[in-house]
Amino acid sequence: MKTIKSIIGGAALLLATGTAVFAARTDLVVGVVLEPPHLDPTASAAAAIDEIVYANVFQGLTRVGRNGEVVPSLAESWDVSDDGKVYTFKLHKGVTFHDGSAFDAEDVKFSLDRARAEDSTNAQKQLFTAIDTVEVVDPATVKVTLKAPQGSFLYNMGWGDAVMVAPETADANKENPIGTGPFKFDSWAKGSAVKLTKNPDYWGNAAGLDKAEFRIIPDAAAAIPALLSGDVQAFPQMPAGDALAQIESDPRFTVKIGATEGETLLSINNGKEPFNDIKVRQAIAHALNRDEIVAGNGSGYGTPIGTHFSPANEAYVDLTGTYPYDPAKAKALLSEAGYPDGFTATLKLPPPPYARQGGEVVASQLRQVGINLEIIPVEWAQWLEQVFKNKDFDLTIISHTEPNDINIYARDDYYFDYNNPAFKEVMNTLEATADPAKRIELYKTAQKIIAEDAVNGFLFQLPKIGVWDAQLQGLWENSPIQANDLTEVRWAD
Amino acid sequence: MTAYLAKRLAIGLVTLIVASAVVFCVLEIVPGDPALLMLGMNAEPEALATLREQMGLNQPILLRYLDWVSGMAVGDFGRSYTYSSPVIDLIGERVLVSLPLAIMALVLSTVIALSVGIFAAARRGRPADTMVMGVAQVGVAIPNFWFALLLIYLFAVWLRLVPAGGFPGWGAGVWPAIKALIMPAVALALPQAAILARVTRSAMLEVLGEDYIRTARAKGMPRRIVLWHHALRNALIPVLTILGLQFSFLLAGTIIIENVFYLPGLGRLVFQAITQRDLIVVEGVVMLLVASIVLVNILVDIGYAIVDPRLRTRR
């Protein structure tokens, strides 16, 4: 009996080693365009940080899934009180941080209190403003009480800015991120690459990769040979430009055109003459031919939008027909507004191709109806300073990449300077509504208001052009939140 | 010689001080708020104010200048706004890429340029000269980034001999690191070599027309000795000048090549820091480059003095 066992054991061992030889590869190099300034998602708005650490290294109570849905993460379940103000989160047990220390309710309290503290430099502090108190019930239970009901609270807790950190390591996360995710931080060669390794003690389903490297390749001319030579096996957001067609026809690669949360706008300074006149803004809306703009935006991809909402979202309404392309009508509206001969204005364009190249198309379309635009290229820093901070602009083209951010139209003193009490009212109601069906209705109303007011020229949803090795499975096709979630990525056998 | 050297060093020091003032003032005028860039479009005003305070951006300009200069004097270049690590560490990491790359490119370009230049000068007007200089003319005209792309497609995509770019770090071993630098070094070196070869050739030709060369030949000295001993040494002054300029360029001006090969060098660091308004890093790198250019110039001056003894005693 003993011999038989050992023979079986030996055969099993042989089989095991045999399969190991033929097993799929377990390493991956992902190309990213921008290098993160540091690796702490709670201390910067830089998308480049979340694109490396979100869901891979750091996790929150909830998380946003590949189709934008809110799903449990470190909280395995939650209860919401009837008045919508008290959220009781049940935490997963046996979760440890990468430094070996245990994760429990105290860490949740610390993380949330840190993010909403007075001296916090969290870039999305508004996610936490609704929180009144955070209480530790027992090590596996946390009670969060809100000042008023907030329908988006669970979604907010799924942002990268709301991830859980440990008190002992929080301040060092910029250089040495310590989270609870399926990957551990390994090393960061500045200017070159960030490396992650599999977390052997992960509490959930183990990752399918042993090693993941995010390699920083800022130049399109460098990205393509890196892909073709096999040095890099995936570009979740490929700066491909004209070479995309060549890659698409190559069977070695998968090309997926997905959606991002980036509403690309011709932003209008609503507080400035002549743009404070709705007729002028309507005229601009009628003058825009979205299909032509998409064709000329540098990639040729993008879904036309008629309001500030992602077409991937279930609450989206297609409002592209509110002010259809109609140059004659645009001219008539300009005459009504007192500009029969049109006028001159400036168009400030930040560096991305969608703005610089799309801007040329927009300028030529507006010229057709008599609005002559002087194009002023600006750098990011100048854009933030002049346009965003000081409202020193007429028109600009910019993609708003934060997810679900229609509420910016309710902000006082925001850069496009829109002010409509009716819209603010809808947003206030929305904040206090938890019922999903009612929330969808409110989102629809909100979309219609800004579309009819022609607040901005709504152009197109920024595409996510993902290119990766055809053998690679599990990467996200869409980008509902700024992330490159590798937890389900593996190589085909 | 000591007086000659002391004077060169004093000029260098003054250059550094003037440069530090100019760099600091220019960067102060540049628009853009580093705190706003870090926190982005959703930032709340109080979070911004806290960050500005933390970054020390609220202090008076003169105080910040003095802080910065006195820090640099003891090797403290400050802390990067975006990367939250000391500037000197960031520079240190990048120098480990840029300096070996610059040296490799310089050695390569000098070896090629001197041999080609002397070869062509010795065969003035003959077909070999015409051909070699024709190739050099093309080399001067080719943009180095385009040449780099050709190299990448040939050696990385097609032949797969070397990586298409990136730098594994010296920790990954000396050979992988060197391997990653070969193509960038060649791409940088060839256009430089072409320029240097033309300079070498014309300097040699000028010297070869001098009376003392004819005298040396007339007294029966072998052609090769005249060429290598008498002519080359006298032709080296303009060559050294160009070499000094090229080294400064190779250290600071390789940004395009660094982008094509996505190498984490100094050029990329400074470019990235400018777009992020990480001014303290920009200032640190620029000062380092000024210092290295000053140093190279001093070395070139010393080189002149070695080649031409008359310079050692003049004034």
Side-chain angles (χ1 to χ4, degrees):
Chain A
M1 200 56 195
K2 223 174 184 178
T3 19
I4 295 173
K5 249 188 184 167
S6 65
I7 289 170
I8 293 173
L13 195 74
L14 208 70
L15 268 175
T17 44
T19 44
V21 173
F22 299 109
R25 60 189 286 195
T26 55
D27 63 316
L28 174 65
V29 180
V30 179
V32 290
V33 176
L34 289 178
E35 174 162 42
H38 55 75
L39 296 170
D40 182 356
T42 68
S44 172
I49 300 174
D50 291 66
E51 284 166 3
I52 292 175
V53 300
Y54 184 82
N56 298 328
V57 176
F58 286 110
Q59 300 175 305
L61 291 174
T62 64
R63 57 162 296 174
V64 176
R66 63 173 69 224
N67 296 313
E69 71 281 12
V70 179
V71 290
S73 184
L74 285 172
E76 64 181 10
S77 64
W78 49 82
D79 287 315
V80 188
S81 67
D82 291 338
D83 64 356
K85 280 166 76 172
V86 183
Y87 284 74
T88 311
F89 292 96
K90 275 277 170 212
L91 306 179
H92 273 287
K93 293 196 179 107
V95 176
T96 53
F97 283 100
H98 298 148
D99 65 349
S101 65
F103 162 80
D104 62 27
E106 289 293 344
D107 297 304
V108 177
K109 180 172 167 58
F110 169 78
S111 302
L112 295 180
D113 285 349
R114 173 175 176 261
R116 64 202 187 94
E118 198 149 319
D119 62 350
S120 152
T121 51
N122 195 299
Q124 314 289 349
K125 232 172 150 179
Q126 81 285 352
L127 296 176
F128 311 95
T129 42
I131 300 177
D132 188 29
T133 59
V134 182
E135 291 161 76
V136 174
V137 179
D138 63 55
T141 315
V142 185
K143 196 165 93 179
V144 180
T145 309
L146 306 183
K147 293 167 189 155
Q150 186 185 39
S152 58
F153 181 66
L154 289 171
Y155 185 84
N156 290 353
M157 291 301 104
W159 280 56
D161 306 79
V163 295
M164 292 298 127
V165 295
E168 308 82 45
T169 51
D171 289 336
N173 277 344
K174 284 184 176 177
E175 290 293 305
N176 184 23
I178 301 282
T180 54
F183 290 95
K184 291 201 282 195
F185 170 72
D186 176 70
S187 62
W188 178 12
K190 300 257 163 67
S192 187
V194 178
K195 289 182 183 168
L196 309 179
T197 53
K198 185 178 185 163
N199 172 9
D201 306 317
Y202 183 54
W203 57 272
N205 292 333
L209 298 171
D210 288 339
K211 284 181 181 165
E213 176 178 339
F214 289 88
R215 197 171 289 176
I216 296 125
I217 304 182
D219 199 84
I224 291 149
L227 185 79
L228 294 178
S229 68
D231 286 4
V232 174
Q233 298 99 43
F235 279 95
Q237 302 251 34
M238 178 103 190
D242 300 334
L244 194 62
Q246 179 202 342
I247 299 168
E248 272 177 317
S249 63
D250 190 329
R252 288 178 297 164
F253 305 109
T254 303
V255 176
K256 293 277 183 199
I257 311 295
T260 68
E261 287 292 319
E263 289 81 20
T264 311
L265 310 177
L266 172 69
S267 291
I268 303 176
N269 192 342
N270 282 248
K272 192 174 173 186
E273 268 191 59
F275 307 104
N276 53 358
D277 184 341
I278 186 168
K279 287 202 173 112
V280 172
R281 298 200 305 268
Q282 286 169 336
I284 292 175
H286 278 301
L288 296 173
N289 180 344
R290 295 186 180 91
D291 292 333
E292 268 183 21
I293 297 169
V294 168
N297 71 359
S299 70
Y301 288 97
T303 312
I305 51 169
T307 183
H308 194 103
F309 223 71
S310 164
N313 195 302
E314 56 176 339
Y316 174 74
V317 198
D318 184 357
L319 294 166
T320 47
T322 312
Y323 301 110
Y325 174 58
D326 187 349
K329 184 130 191 229
K331 276 186 196 159
L333 279 163
L334 281 180
S335 298
E336 277 179 49
Y339 300 96
D341 304 321
F343 57 87
T344 3
T346 60
L347 174 63
K348 289 194 173 170
L349 299 176
Y354 69 74
R356 291 273 166 90
Q357 296 182 26
E360 305 274 347
V361 183
V362 167
S364 78
Q365 290 176 359
L366 291 188
R367 197 174 304 123
Q368 302 294 319
V369 303
I371 301 173
N372 283 307
L373 295 184
E374 183 201 344
I375 290 179
I376 305 175
V378 291
E379 271 182 86
W380 265 126
Q382 285 174 304
W383 189 89
L384 280 170
E385 182 85 12
Q386 299 174 8
V387 178
F388 189 71
K389 195 171 161 192
N390 297 330
K391 294 190 210 111
D392 173 20
F393 77 109
D394 295 333
L395 300 169
T396 185
I397 292 181
I398 182 77
S399 200
H400 282 253
T401 53
E402 279 80 10
N404 246 341
D405 59 348
I406 196 172
N407 58 354
I408 56 178
Y409 289 76
R411 281 207 199 172
D412 289 317
D413 218 30
Y414 202 61
Y415 78 101
F416 43 71
D417 217 4
Y418 172 63
N419 197 344
N420 181 343
F423 183 86
K424 283 183 184 163
E425 187 53 42
V426 174
M427 283 295 119
N428 287 338
T429 323
L430 184 75
E431 271 300 275
T433 309
D435 177 40
K438 280 187 193 145
R439 286 178 65 82
I440 287 179
E441 276 317 304
L442 287 162
Y443 270 131
K444 287 184 173 169
T445 315
Q447 292 174 55
K448 281 175 196 147
I449 296 175
I450 55 169
E452 275 157 22
D453 277 350
V455 182
N456 294 314
F458 302 103
L459 306 179
F460 58 89
Q461 199 70 12
L462 204 63
K464 172 178 173 320
I465 299 171
V467 178
W468 48 82
D469 192 298
Q471 298 298 309
L472 198 62
Q473 302 167 343
L475 277 162
W476 284 14
E477 205 168 307
N478 295 318
S479 173
I481 193 158
Q482 291 146 344
N484 290 313
D485 181 357
L486 300 181
T487 48
E488 290 168 21
V489 173
R490 57 195 72 236
W491 289 93
D493 293 318
Chain B
M1 186 71 184
T2 322
Y4 177 79
L5 203 60
K7 196 179 154 201
R8 288 293 173 278
L9 282 174
I11 293 173
L13 195 65
V14 172
T15 314
L16 278 180
I17 293 170
V18 173
S20 77
V22 171
V23 167
F24 193 83
C25 292
V26 166
L27 290 179
E28 277 304 314
I29 302 166
V30 173
D33 178 354
L36 185 60
L37 266 161
M38 284 171 78
L39 292 187
M41 291 167 67
N42 264 356
E44 301 213 337
E46 57 267 39
L48 266 178
T50 314
L51 188 64
R52 286 185 64 84
E53 189 65 45
Q54 281 177 11
M55 288 162 71
L57 289 171
N58 292 339
Q59 286 173 354
I61 170 165
L62 191 65
L63 199 67
R64 282 194 288 139
Y65 174 69
L66 291 177
D67 262 2
W68 177 62
V69 171
S70 58
M72 274 196 302
V74 294
D76 175 12
F77 282 63
R79 207 163 244 284
S80 160
Y81 298 154
T82 43
Y83 294 125
S84 44
S85 47
V87 175
I88 192 79
D89 292 358
L90 289 174
I91 293 177
E93 287 167 9
R94 303 302 176 105
V95 165
L96 288 179
V97 180
S98 287
L99 195 62
L101 177 61
I103 291 172
M104 276 169 77
L106 192 75
V107 170
L108 204 60
S109 106
T110 313
V111 169
I112 297 173
L114 287 186
S115 21
V116 168
I118 295 166
F119 173 86
R123 284 163 188 73
R124 179 182 194 178
R126 287 197 249 159
D129 174 31
T130 319
M131 205 181 78
V132 168
M133 282 302 116
V135 172
Q137 183 68 46
V138 174
V140 173
I142 286 180
N144 59 11
F145 68 91
W146 183 80
F147 182 58
L149 282 173
L150 286 188
L151 289 177
I152 292 174
Y153 278 97
L154 181 59
F155 292 105
V157 175
W158 196 48
L159 296 173
R160 301 217 172 181
L161 290 174
V162 285
F167 185 69
W170 293 99
V174 174
W175 173 236
I178 299 260
K179 207 170 146 188
L181 294 180
I182 292 175
M183 277 203 302
V186 171
L188 280 171
L190 288 193
Q192 302 294 324
I195 298 169
L196 199 59
R198 292 174 60 82
V199 172
T200 309
R201 177 181 175 270
S202 52
M204 285 293 284
L205 286 179
E206 196 175 313
V207 174
L208 286 174
E210 295 283 341
D211 290 346
Y212 58 82
I213 297 290
R214 201 177 45 205
T215 312
R217 289 286 288 148
K219 72 178 182 183
M221 197 174 263
R223 198 181 138 78
R224 187 144 48 93
I225 303 227
V226 172
L227 196 65
W228 286 94
H229 194 80
H230 290 77
L232 181 61
R233 184 162 180 168
N234 283 292
L236 271 182
I237 296 262
V239 174
L240 268 179
T241 311
I242 300 293
L243 211 56
L245 289 174
Q246 287 193 345
F247 187 70
S248 311
F249 165 80
L250 288 173
L251 201 58
T254 57
I255 169 106
I256 294 173
I257 287 295
E258 283 176 18
N259 254 337
V260 173
F261 291 98
Y262 50 103
L263 292 172
L266 277 175
R268 275 261 306 279
L269 178 68
V270 80
F271 181 74
Q272 201 176 344
I274 290 170
T275 52
Q276 303 263 12
R277 288 297 182 272
D278 195 348
L279 301 182
I280 191 101
V281 171
V282 181
E283 289 162 357
V285 177
V286 172
M287 282 314 293
L288 181 87
L289 292 175
V290 172
S292 67
I293 288 167
V294 166
L295 186 71
V296 167
N297 279 334
I298 292 175
L299 290 178
V300 169
D301 282 345
I302 295 173
Y304 289 158
I306 292 169
V307 175
D308 186 349
R310 285 169 303 176
L311 288 174
R312 289 174 220 169
T313 45
R314 195 186 289 170
R315 265 198 288 168

